Amino acid sequence: MTTTVVRRIGRFLLPLATSLVLLLVIWTLFLRLFPQIGPRVGKTPSDVWAYLVTSAGAPTARQAIFDDLVITLGDAASGFVAGMLGAIGVAALFVLYSAVRQTFMPVAMLLRSVPLVALSPIVVLIFGRGTAGVTVLAAIVVFFPALVMIMTGLSEAPRQAMELVTAYGGTRWTRLRMVAVPAALPSVFAAARVSVPGALIGALLGEWLGSGTGLGASLVRAIPMFQYNRLWASIVVVTVVSVLLYAIVGVIENVVLARFGPNAGS
């Protein structure tokens, strides 16, 4: 990688690392400001570290959480891919055909306004309580924000470049492929970054309300069973994984845009 790319990646990762440190500080201060929570319920970062790393039962506890995490990551990955592909395809149709956009965009926004918890029973009824239902819920979380962001990126393609392709006999699909898609790469990657945590949230909710497996279900089961160490540890693991995935997408974004983006080479 060139020095420019490394600098871009560094500028992206530094605020992310700072945010993680700040989150630890807020977590610790919160427990100190609200002592009524008590050490039985409120676990500190050191408590979570001991539970996952240094205690005698850490290997067993860590393995149980990671087993659930693998299920959740699989559900989130399938939802992420389905949601992003759907958003890219629908955004392309909406940009190319204004009649389709005017007809279906209000429907999409109406569906977006329905709370996911309200949609969950319908999704479970149609797709069942297995992986399909969880995937659909995760895809719904990803789809709508990604659709808006990608549509915006495709719509902001340089007009002069679009007209030049048309002057040489290019079709609307040619204009989309040669001009709009490269111009929309920043928006696509921005949508992907936002969608990674969204896919995890959708998967957790789907597992809680639908499949009964993965971290989403174990988080809910931990509360009535008074497994607060496992509850806090699971939350920390999900948060760290979400940030890591966000960072990975951001690093890929910086590498790709440095080579193929609208401002490549700058």
Side-chain angles (χ1 to χ4, degrees), residues 95-143:
V95 169
L96 289 174
Y97 303 102
S98 58
V100 176
R101 180 177 68 252
Q102 293 168 1
T103 302
F104 292 102
M105 192 63 176
V107 177
M109 293 299 99
L110 180 63
L111 290 174
R112 178 66 183 89
S113 65
V114 179
L116 193 62
V117 175
L119 284 176
S120 299
I122 300 174
V123 172
V124 171
L125 182 65
I126 296 174
F127 297 96
R129 293 183 175 273
T131 303
V134 179
T135 298
V136 170
L137 286 173
I140 290 173
V141 176
V142 170
F143 175 79

Side-chain angles (χ1 to χ4, degrees), residues 125-218:
L125 182 65
I126 296 174
F127 297 96
R129 293 183 175 273
T131 303
V134 179
T135 298
V136 170
L137 286 173
I140 290 173
V141 176
V142 170
F143 175 79
F144 291 105
L147 172 63
V148 174
M149 297 176 73
I150 295 171
M151 271 189 60
T152 302
L154 291 174
S155 301
E156 293 178 350
R159 184 175 297 275
Q160 291 182 340
M162 299 282 278
E163 292 174 351
L164 180 63
V165 174
T166 303
Y168 279 93
T171 65
R172 63 180 67 186
W173 286 101
T174 306
R175 295 198 302 270
L176 180 74
R177 177 174 56 85
M178 297 184 66
V179 180
V181 169
L185 277 178
S187 297
V188 173
F189 276 109
R193 277 191 285 111
V194 172
S195 297
V196 166
L200 275 172
I201 292 172
L204 290 170
L205 182 62
E207 290 168 351
W208 168 38
L209 297 174
S211 68
T213 60
L215 274 179
S218 67

